Amino acid sequence: MTERSALSGTSQASPSPGGGREGAARVPDGRRKRRVPETIGLLIFLAVEVVFFSVQSPYFFNWDNWGNILTAVSITGVLAAAGTLLLVAGQFDLSVGSGVAFVGIVLVETAPSLGLGPALVLSVLAGVGIGLLNGFLVTVVGVNALITTLGMLGIFRGLTLVIGKGQSIFIEGFDWATARPFLGIPMPAIVLVVVIALFYVLMHYTVFGRKMYAIGANPVAARLVGIRVNRTIFAGFLLSGGCMALAGLLVTSQLGSSSANTGVGLELAVVTAVILGGTSLSGGTGTIFGTVVGLLIVGVLSNGLTLLNVDSSWQQVATGVLLILAVAVDRLRQTYLRKAG
């Protein structure tokens, strides 16, 4: 039995990636009435946020400010796209923040001596290399993904500190991310939209995406029907490394520099957006659309509180509360689904 035929054979037993019409078509009428799109609550919450901050600040609901919001969430969003893919398969990557910093420090340190072109190649390879190491340790050595990526977080944060000697290092002629090439839309926002679109197609319209959902739903069953689980998860970590590289180039271009403090806290921001968007900690369910909504909820909250002159420390408190609520809602949803099933 081939992987493709095996996967199609198990698709009826596993949830639809989008949680949409395919799943609903097989649900009895009584249960279908109770079925509510998982993102509807998030969309309502986002709408309430927008209305509230629009009333509270005259500067919130304008084109320039929304450009600022999209720019602010672009780095987190690029990483969250790959984070959603991995979490759907029941995997974590908590090394993204230090990976972004390491990519940036490689770029700014090598550009003066090698030139911008070779430095870009090295920095991209650095990001992909982190993904490769994570994938190797998880799928070949067999170390838990949470422990692996936590370890890598410390390793590459330390390496960034050693290489950069704890200083901010500037780079000249690398300001592409500050451009607004189309209708005044910032380049980071354009990059974010492209990445989100690519991962949406990857997760919902490719065999690889369906494999990731199947692995997250039941890795043992996925292996029994012929899916090469370790190889598929390894590819997911490589994609996460590629997103680290892209995010590292984005943030370095935006700031014009890099340091050991670059990317601090990105892990929390990514996990918050992904889980808030409805991707289950247990794996098997989640969508890119939900992650985008979760990302916007966090971005709008941060931007609105800034406009209202709320201290940044309280903004971190609000983000932490959102993360706890998201995990609590995920657990309640899992409990409801088990009882309903």
Coordinates of all heavy atoms in Angstrom, one line a residue, residues 142-229:
G142 N 15.6 10.7 18.8 CA 14.4 10.3 19.6 C 14.2 11.2 20.8 O 13.5 10.8 21.8
V143 N 14.9 12.4 20.9 CA 14.6 13.3 22.0 C 13.3 14.0 21.8 O 12.9 14.4 20.7 CB 15.8 14.3 22.1 CG1 15.6 15.2 23.3 CG2 17.1 13.6 22.1
N144 N 12.6 14.2 22.9 CA 11.3 14.9 22.9 C 11.5 16.3 22.3 O 12.5 17.0 22.6 CB 10.8 15.0 24.3 CG 9.5 15.8 24.4 OD1 9.5 17.0 24.5 ND2 8.4 15.1 24.3
A145 N 10.5 16.7 21.5 CA 10.7 18.0 20.7 C 10.7 19.2 21.7 O 11.4 20.1 21.5 CB 9.5 18.1 19.8
L146 N 9.9 19.1 22.8 CA 9.9 20.2 23.7 C 11.3 20.4 24.4 O 11.9 21.5 24.5 CB 8.9 19.9 24.8 CG 8.7 21.0 25.9 CD1 8.2 22.3 25.2 CD2 7.7 20.5 26.9
I147 N 11.9 19.2 24.8 CA 13.2 19.3 25.4 C 14.3 19.7 24.4 O 15.2 20.5 24.7 CB 13.6 17.9 26.0 CG1 12.6 17.5 27.0 CG2 15.0 18.0 26.6 CD1 12.4 18.5 28.2
T148 N 14.2 19.2 23.2 CA 15.2 19.5 22.1 C 15.2 21.0 21.8 O 16.3 21.6 21.8 CB 14.8 18.7 20.9 OG1 15.0 17.3 21.1 CG2 15.8 19.2 19.7
T149 N 14.0 21.5 21.6 CA 14.0 22.9 21.2 C 14.2 23.9 22.3 O 14.8 25.0 22.1 CB 12.7 23.2 20.5 OG1 11.6 22.9 21.3 CG2 12.5 22.4 19.2
L150 N 13.9 23.5 23.6 CA 14.3 24.3 24.7 C 15.8 24.3 24.8 O 16.4 25.4 25.1 CB 13.7 23.7 26.0 CG 12.3 24.2 26.4 CD1 11.8 23.5 27.6 CD2 12.2 25.7 26.6
G151 N 16.5 23.2 24.6 CA 17.9 23.1 24.7 C 18.5 24.0 23.6 O 19.5 24.7 23.8
M152 N 18.0 23.9 22.4 CA 18.5 24.7 21.3 C 18.3 26.2 21.5 O 19.1 27.0 21.1 CB 17.8 24.3 20.0 CG 18.2 23.0 19.5 SD 20.0 23.0 19.0 CE 20.2 21.2 18.6
L153 N 17.2 26.6 22.2 CA 16.9 27.9 22.6 C 18.1 28.5 23.4 O 18.7 29.6 23.1 CB 15.6 28.1 23.4 CG 15.1 29.4 23.8 CD1 13.6 29.4 24.0 CD2 15.8 29.9 25.1
G154 N 18.5 27.7 24.4 CA 19.7 28.2 25.2 C 21.0 28.2 24.5 O 21.8 29.1 24.6
I155 N 21.2 27.1 23.7 CA 22.5 27.0 22.9 C 22.7 28.2 22.0 O 23.7 28.8 22.0 CB 22.5 25.7 22.2 CG1 22.6 24.5 23.1 CG2 23.7 25.7 21.1 CD1 22.5 23.1 22.5
F156 N 21.7 28.5 21.2 CA 21.9 29.5 20.1 C 21.7 30.9 20.7 O 22.3 31.8 20.1 CB 20.9 29.2 19.0 CG 21.4 28.1 18.1 CD1 20.8 26.8 18.2 CD2 22.4 28.3 17.2 CE1 21.3 25.8 17.4 CE2 22.8 27.3 16.4 CZ 22.3 26.0 16.5
R157 N 21.0 31.1 21.8 CA 21.0 32.4 22.5 C 22.5 32.6 23.0 O 23.0 33.7 22.9 CB 20.0 32.4 23.6 CG 19.9 33.7 24.3 CD 19.4 34.8 23.4 NE 18.0 34.6 23.0 CZ 17.4 35.4 22.1 NH1 18.0 36.4 21.5 NH2 16.2 35.1 21.7
G158 N 23.1 31.6 23.6 CA 24.4 31.7 24.1 C 25.4 32.0 23.0 O 26.3 32.8 23.1
L159 N 25.3 31.2 21.9 CA 26.2 31.4 20.7 C 26.1 32.8 20.2 O 27.1 33.5 19.8 CB 25.9 30.4 19.6 CG 26.4 29.0 19.9 CD1 25.9 28.0 18.8 CD2 27.9 28.9 20.1
T160 N 24.9 33.3 20.1 CA 24.6 34.7 19.6 C 25.3 35.7 20.5 O 25.9 36.7 20.1 CB 23.1 35.0 19.5 OG1 22.5 34.0 18.7 CG2 22.9 36.4 19.0
L161 N 25.2 35.5 21.8 CA 25.9 36.4 22.8 C 27.4 36.3 22.6 O 28.1 37.4 22.7 CB 25.5 36.0 24.2 CG 26.0 36.8 25.4 CD1 25.5 38.2 25.2 CD2 25.6 36.2 26.7
V162 N 28.0 35.1 22.4 CA 29.4 35.0 22.3 C 29.9 35.6 21.0 O 30.9 36.4 21.0 CB 29.8 33.5 22.3 CG1 31.3 33.3 21.9 CG2 29.5 32.9 23.7
I163 N 29.2 35.4 19.9 CA 29.7 35.9 18.6 C 29.5 37.4 18.6 O 30.4 38.1 18.1 CB 28.8 35.3 17.5 CG1 29.1 33.8 17.4 CG2 29.1 36.0 16.1 CD1 28.2 33.0 16.4
G164 N 28.4 37.9 19.1 CA 28.2 39.4 19.1 C 28.8 40.1 20.2 O 28.8 41.4 20.3
K165 N 29.4 39.4 21.2 CA 30.0 40.0 22.4 C 29.1 40.9 23.2 O 29.5 41.9 23.8 CB 31.3 40.7 22.0 CG 32.4 39.9 21.3 CD 33.6 40.7 20.9 CE 34.7 39.8 20.4 NZ 34.3 39.1 19.1
G166 N 27.8 40.5 23.1 CA 26.8 41.3 23.9 C 26.5 42.6 23.3 O 25.8 43.4 24.0
Q167 N 26.9 43.0 22.1 CA 26.7 44.3 21.6 C 25.7 44.3 20.4 O 25.5 43.2 19.8 CB 28.0 44.9 21.1 CG 29.1 45.0 22.2 CD 30.4 45.5 21.6 OE1 30.6 45.5 20.4 NE2 31.3 45.9 22.5
S168 N 25.2 45.4 20.1 CA 24.4 45.6 18.9 C 25.3 45.9 17.7 O 26.1 46.8 17.8 CB 23.3 46.7 19.1 OG 22.4 46.4 20.0
I169 N 25.2 45.1 16.7 CA 26.1 45.3 15.5 C 25.2 45.7 14.3 O 24.2 45.1 14.0 CB 26.8 43.9 15.2 CG1 27.6 43.5 16.4 CG2 27.7 44.1 14.0 CD1 28.2 42.1 16.3
F170 N 25.6 46.8 13.7 CA 24.8 47.4 12.7 C 25.3 46.9 11.3 O 26.4 46.4 11.1 CB 24.9 48.9 12.7 CG 24.3 49.5 14.0 CD1 25.1 49.7 15.1 CD2 23.0 49.9 14.0 CE1 24.5 50.2 16.3 CE2 22.4 50.5 15.1 CZ 23.2 50.6 16.3
I171 N 24.4 47.0 10.3 CA 24.6 46.6 9.0 C 24.2 47.7 8.0 O 23.1 48.3 8.2 CB 24.0 45.2 8.7 CG1 24.3 44.7 7.3 CG2 22.4 45.3 8.8 CD1 23.9 43.3 7.0
E172 N 25.0 47.9 7.0 CA 24.6 49.0 6.0 C 24.1 48.4 4.8 O 24.4 47.2 4.4 CB 25.9 49.8 5.7 CG 26.5 50.5 6.9 CD 25.7 51.7 7.4 OE1 24.8 52.2 6.6 OE2 25.8 52.1 8.5
G173 N 23.2 49.1 4.1 CA 22.6 48.7 2.8 C 21.7 47.5 2.9 O 21.5 46.8 1.8
F174 N 21.1 47.2 4.0 CA 20.2 46.1 4.1 C 18.9 46.5 4.7 O 18.5 46.2 5.8 CB 20.8 44.9 5.0 CG 20.1 43.6 4.9 CD1 20.0 42.9 3.7 CD2 19.4 43.1 6.0 CE1 19.3 41.7 3.7 CE2 18.8 41.9 6.0 CZ 18.7 41.2 4.8
D175 N 18.2 47.4 4.0 CA 17.0 48.0 4.5 C 15.7 47.7 3.7 O 14.7 48.4 3.7 CB 17.1 49.5 4.6 CG 17.5 50.1 3.3 OD1 17.7 49.4 2.3 OD2 17.6 51.4 3.2
W176 N 15.7 46.5 3.0 CA 14.6 46.2 2.1 C 13.3 46.0 2.8 O 12.2 46.3 2.3 CB 15.0 44.9 1.4 CG 15.1 43.7 2.3 CD1 16.2 43.3 3.0 CD2 14.1 42.7 2.7 NE1 16.0 42.2 3.8 CE2 14.7 41.8 3.6 CE3 12.7 42.6 2.3 CZ2 14.0 40.8 4.1 CZ3 12.0 41.5 2.8 CH2 12.6 40.6 3.7
A177 N 13.4 45.7 4.1 CA 12.1 45.4 4.9 C 11.5 46.8 5.3 O 10.3 46.7 5.8 CB 12.4 44.6 6.1
T178 N 12.1 47.9 5.1 CA 11.5 49.2 5.4 C 10.7 49.8 4.2 O 10.1 50.8 4.4 CB 12.6 50.2 5.9 OG1 13.5 50.4 4.8 CG2 13.3 49.6 7.1
A179 N 10.8 49.1 3.1 CA 10.1 49.6 1.9 C 8.6 49.4 1.9 O 8.1 48.6 2.7 CB 10.7 49.0 0.6
R180 N 7.9 50.2 1.2 CA 6.4 50.1 1.0 C 6.2 50.1 -0.5 O 5.7 51.1 -1.1 CB 5.7 51.3 1.7 CG 5.8 51.3 3.2 CD 5.2 52.5 3.8 NE 5.2 52.5 5.2 CZ 4.2 52.2 6.0 NH1 3.0 52.0 5.5 NH2 4.3 52.2 7.3
P181 N 6.4 48.9 -1.1 CA 6.4 48.9 -2.6 C 5.0 48.9 -3.3 O 4.9 49.2 -4.5 CB 7.1 47.6 -2.9 CG 6.8 46.7 -1.7 CD 6.7 47.6 -0.5
F182 N 3.9 48.6 -2.5 CA 2.6 48.5 -3.2 C 1.6 49.1 -2.3 O 1.3 48.7 -1.1 CB 2.3 47.0 -3.4 CG 1.0 46.7 -4.1 CD1 0.8 47.1 -5.4 CD2 0.0 46.2 -3.4 CE1 -0.4 46.8 -6.0 CE2 -1.3 45.9 -3.9 CZ -1.5 46.3 -5.3
L183 N 0.9 50.2 -2.8 CA -0.2 50.8 -2.1 C 0.2 51.3 -0.7 O -0.7 51.3 0.2 CB -1.4 49.9 -2.1 CG -2.0 49.6 -3.4 CD1 -3.2 48.6 -3.2 CD2 -2.5 50.8 -4.2
G184 N 1.5 51.5 -0.5 CA 1.9 51.9 0.9 C 1.9 50.8 1.9 O 2.1 51.1 3.1
I185 N 1.8 49.6 1.4 CA 1.8 48.4 2.3 C 3.2 48.1 2.7 O 4.1 47.9 1.8 CB 1.1 47.2 1.7 CG1 -0.3 47.5 1.3 CG2 1.2 46.0 2.7 CD1 -1.0 46.4 0.6
P186 N 3.6 48.0 4.0 CA 5.0 47.7 4.4 C 5.4 46.3 3.8 O 4.6 45.4 3.8 CB 4.9 47.7 5.9 CG 3.7 48.5 6.2 CD 2.7 48.2 5.1
M187 N 6.7 46.2 3.5 CA 7.2 44.9 3.0 C 7.0 43.8 3.9 O 6.7 42.7 3.5 CB 8.7 45.1 2.6 CG 9.3 43.8 2.1 SD 8.6 43.3 0.5 CE 9.3 44.4 -0.6
P188 N 7.2 43.9 5.2 CA 7.0 42.8 6.2 C 5.5 42.3 6.1 O 5.3 41.1 6.2 CB 7.3 43.4 7.5 CG 8.2 44.5 7.3 CD 7.8 45.1 6.0
A189 N 4.6 43.2 5.9 CA 3.2 42.7 5.7 C 3.0 41.9 4.5 O 2.3 40.9 4.5 CB 2.2 43.9 5.7
I190 N 3.6 42.3 3.4 CA 3.5 41.5 2.1 C 4.2 40.2 2.3 O 3.6 39.1 1.9 CB 4.2 42.3 1.0 CG1 3.5 43.6 0.7 CG2 4.3 41.5 -0.3 CD1 4.1 44.5 -0.3
V191 N 5.3 40.1 2.9 CA 6.0 38.8 3.2 C 5.1 37.9 4.0 O 5.0 36.7 3.8 CB 7.4 39.1 3.9 CG1 8.0 37.7 4.3 CG2 8.3 39.8 3.0
L192 N 4.5 38.5 5.1 CA 3.6 37.7 5.9 C 2.5 37.1 5.1 O 2.1 35.9 5.3 CB 3.1 38.6 7.0 CG 2.0 38.0 8.0 CD1 2.6 36.8 8.7 CD2 1.5 39.0 9.0
V193 N 1.8 37.9 4.3 CA 0.7 37.4 3.5 C 1.1 36.3 2.6 O 0.4 35.2 2.4 CB 0.1 38.5 2.7 CG1 -0.9 38.0 1.7 CG2 -0.6 39.6 3.6
V194 N 2.3 36.4 2.0 CA 2.8 35.4 1.1 C 3.1 34.1 1.8 O 2.7 33.0 1.4 CB 4.1 35.9 0.3 CG1 4.7 34.7 -0.4 CG2 3.8 37.0 -0.6
V195 N 3.7 34.2 3.0 CA 4.0 33.0 3.8 C 2.8 32.3 4.3 O 2.6 31.1 4.2 CB 4.9 33.4 5.0 CG1 5.1 32.2 6.0 CG2 6.3 33.8 4.5
I196 N 1.8 33.1 4.7 CA 0.5 32.5 5.2 C -0.2 31.8 4.1 O -0.7 30.7 4.3 CB -0.4 33.6 5.8 CG1 0.2 34.2 7.1 CG2 -1.8 33.1 6.0 CD1 0.2 33.2 8.2
A197 N -0.2 32.4 2.9 CA -0.8 31.8 1.7 C -0.1 30.4 1.4 O -0.8 29.4 1.1 CB -0.8 32.7 0.5
L198 N 1.2 30.4 1.4 CA 2.0 29.2 1.0 C 1.7 28.1 2.0 O 1.4 27.0 1.7 CB 3.5 29.5 1.0 CG 3.9 30.4 -0.2 CD1 5.4 30.7 0.0 CD2 3.7 29.7 -1.5
F199 N 1.7 28.4 3.3 CA 1.4 27.4 4.3 C -0.1 27.0 4.3 O -0.4 25.8 4.7 CB 1.8 27.9 5.7 CG 3.3 27.6 6.1 CD1 4.3 28.5 5.7 CD2 3.6 26.5 6.7 CE1 5.6 28.2 5.9 CE2 4.9 26.2 7.0 CZ 5.9 27.1 6.6
Y200 N -1.0 27.9 4.0 CA -2.4 27.5 3.9 C -2.5 26.4 2.8 O -3.2 25.4 3.0 CB -3.2 28.7 3.5 CG -4.7 28.3 3.4 CD1 -5.5 28.3 4.6 CD2 -5.3 28.0 2.2 CE1 -6.8 28.0 4.5 CE2 -6.6 27.7 2.1 CZ -7.4 27.7 3.3 OH -8.7 27.3 3.2
V201 N -1.9 26.7 1.6 CA -2.0 25.7 0.5 C -1.3 24.4 1.0 O -1.8 23.3 0.7 CB -1.3 26.3 -0.7 CG1 -1.2 25.2 -1.8 CG2 -2.1 27.4 -1.3
L202 N -0.1 24.5 1.6 CA 0.7 23.3 2.0 C -0.1 22.5 3.0 O -0.2 21.2 2.8 CB 2.0 23.8 2.7 CG 2.9 22.7 3.2 CD1 3.5 21.9 2.0 CD2 4.0 23.3 4.0
M203 N -0.8 23.1 3.9 CA -1.5 22.3 5.0 C -2.8 21.7 4.5 O -3.2 20.7 5.0 CB -1.7 23.2 6.2 CG -0.4 23.5 6.9 SD -0.7 24.5 8.4 CE -1.7 23.4 9.4
H204 N -3.5 22.4 3.6 CA -4.9 22.0 3.3 C -5.0 21.4 1.9 O -6.1 20.9 1.6 CB -5.8 23.2 3.4 CG -5.8 23.7 4.8 ND1 -6.4 23.1 5.9 CD2 -5.3 24.9 5.4 CE1 -6.3 23.8 7.0 NE2 -5.6 24.9 6.7
Y205 N -4.0 21.5 1.0 CA -4.2 21.0 -0.3 C -3.1 20.2 -0.8 O -2.9 19.9 -2.0 CB -4.4 22.2 -1.3 CG -5.6 23.0 -1.0 CD1 -5.6 24.2 -0.3 CD2 -6.9 22.6 -1.5 CE1 -6.7 25.0 -0.1 CE2 -8.0 23.3 -1.3 CZ -7.9 24.5 -0.5 OH -9.1 25.2 -0.3
T206 N -2.2 19.7 0.1 CA -1.1 18.8 -0.3 C -1.2 17.5 0.5 O -1.7 17.5 1.6 CB 0.2 19.4 -0.2 OG1 0.5 19.6 1.2 CG2 0.3 20.8 -0.9
V207 N -0.6 16.4 -0.1 CA -0.5 15.2 0.7 C 0.4 15.3 1.9 O 0.1 14.8 3.0 CB 0.1 14.1 -0.3 CG1 0.4 12.8 0.5 CG2 -0.8 13.8 -1.4
F208 N 1.4 16.2 1.8 CA 2.3 16.4 3.0 C 1.5 17.0 4.1 O 1.6 16.6 5.3 CB 3.4 17.4 2.6 CG 4.3 17.8 3.8 CD1 5.2 17.0 4.4 CD2 4.1 19.1 4.3 CE1 5.9 17.4 5.4 CE2 4.9 19.5 5.4 CZ 5.8 18.6 5.9
G209 N 0.6 18.0 3.9 CA -0.2 18.6 4.9 C -1.1 17.6 5.5 O -1.3 17.5 6.8
R210 N -1.7 16.7 4.7 CA -2.6 15.7 5.3 C -1.9 14.7 6.1 O -2.4 14.2 7.1 CB -3.4 15.0 4.1 CG -4.4 15.9 3.5 CD -5.4 15.1 2.6 NE -4.7 14.6 1.4 CZ -4.6 15.3 0.2 NH1 -5.1 16.5 0.1 NH2 -4.0 14.7 -0.8
K211 N -0.6 14.4 5.8 CA 0.2 13.5 6.6 C 0.4 14.1 8.0 O 0.3 13.4 9.0 CB 1.5 13.3 5.9 CG 1.5 12.4 4.7 CD 2.9 12.3 4.1 CE 2.9 11.5 2.8 NZ 4.3 11.4 2.2
M212 N 0.7 15.4 8.0 CA 0.9 16.1 9.3 C -0.3 16.0 10.2 O -0.2 15.7 11.4 CB 1.4 17.5 9.1 CG 2.7 17.7 8.3 SD 4.1 17.1 9.3 CE 4.5 18.5 10.3
Y213 N -1.5 16.2 9.6 CA -2.7 16.1 10.4 C -2.9 14.6 10.9 O -3.3 14.4 12.0 CB -3.9 16.5 9.5 CG -4.2 18.0 9.5 CD1 -3.8 18.7 8.4 CD2 -4.8 18.6 10.5 CE1 -4.0 20.1 8.3 CE2 -5.0 20.0 10.5 CZ -4.6 20.7 9.4 OH -4.8 22.1 9.3
A214 N -2.6 13.7 10.0 CA -2.8 12.3 10.4 C -1.8 11.9 11.5 O -2.2 11.2 12.4 CB -2.6 11.4 9.2
I215 N -0.6 12.4 11.4 CA 0.4 12.1 12.5 C 0.0 12.7 13.8 O 0.1 12.0 14.8 CB 1.8 12.6 12.1 CG1 2.3 11.8 10.9 CG2 2.8 12.6 13.2 CD1 3.5 12.5 10.2
G216 N -0.5 13.9 13.8 CA -1.0 14.5 15.0 C -2.2 13.9 15.6 O -2.3 13.8 16.8
A217 N -3.1 13.4 14.7 CA -4.3 12.7 15.2 C -4.0 11.4 15.9 O -4.5 11.0 16.9 CB -5.3 12.5 14.1
N218 N -3.1 10.6 15.2 CA -2.7 9.3 15.8 C -1.5 8.8 15.1 O -1.5 8.2 14.0 CB -3.9 8.3 15.5 CG -3.7 7.0 16.3 OD1 -2.5 6.5 16.5 ND2 -4.8 6.3 16.7
P219 N -0.3 9.1 15.7 CA 1.0 8.7 15.0 C 1.2 7.2 14.8 O 1.8 6.8 13.8 CB 2.0 9.3 16.0 CG 1.3 9.4 17.3 CD -0.1 9.8 17.0
V220 N 0.6 6.4 15.7 CA 0.7 5.0 15.6 C -0.1 4.5 14.3 O 0.4 3.7 13.5 CB 0.3 4.2 16.8 CG1 0.3 2.7 16.6 CG2 1.1 4.6 18.0
A221 N -1.3 5.0 14.2 CA -2.1 4.6 13.1 C -1.5 5.1 11.8 O -1.5 4.4 10.7 CB -3.5 5.1 13.2
A222 N -1.0 6.3 11.8 CA -0.3 6.9 10.6 C 0.8 6.0 10.2 O 1.0 5.8 9.0 CB 0.2 8.3 10.9
R223 N 1.6 5.5 11.1 CA 2.8 4.7 10.8 C 2.3 3.3 10.2 O 2.8 2.8 9.2 CB 3.6 4.4 12.0 CG 4.9 3.7 11.7 CD 5.8 3.6 13.0 NE 6.4 4.9 13.3 CZ 6.0 5.6 14.3 NH1 5.1 5.2 15.1 NH2 6.6 6.8 14.5
L224 N 1.2 2.8 10.8 CA 0.7 1.5 10.3 C 0.1 1.6 8.9 O 0.2 0.5 8.2 CB -0.4 1.0 11.3 CG 0.1 0.6 12.7 CD1 -1.1 0.2 13.6 CD2 1.0 -0.6 12.6
V225 N -0.4 2.7 8.5 CA -0.9 2.8 7.1 C 0.1 3.2 6.1 O -0.2 3.4 5.0 CB -2.1 3.8 7.1 CG1 -3.3 3.3 7.9 CG2 -1.7 5.2 7.4
G226 N 1.4 3.3 6.5 CA 2.4 3.5 5.6 C 3.0 4.9 5.5 O 3.9 5.2 4.7
I227 N 2.6 5.8 6.4 CA 3.2 7.2 6.4 C 4.5 7.1 7.1 O 4.6 6.5 8.2 CB 2.2 8.2 7.1 CG1 0.9 8.3 6.4 CG2 2.9 9.5 7.3 CD1 -0.1 9.1 7.1
R228 N 5.5 7.7 6.5 CA 6.9 7.8 7.1 C 6.9 8.9 8.1 O 7.2 10.0 7.7 CB 7.9 7.9 6.0 CG 8.0 6.7 5.0 CD 9.0 6.9 4.0 NE 9.0 5.7 3.1 CZ 9.8 5.6 2.0 NH1 10.6 6.6 1.7 NH2 9.8 4.5 1.3
V229 N 6.5 8.6 9.3 CA 6.3 9.6 10.3 C 7.5 10.5 10.5 O 7.5 11.7 10.5 CB 5.8 9.0 11.6 CG1 5.7 10.0 12.7 CG2 4.4 8.3 11.4

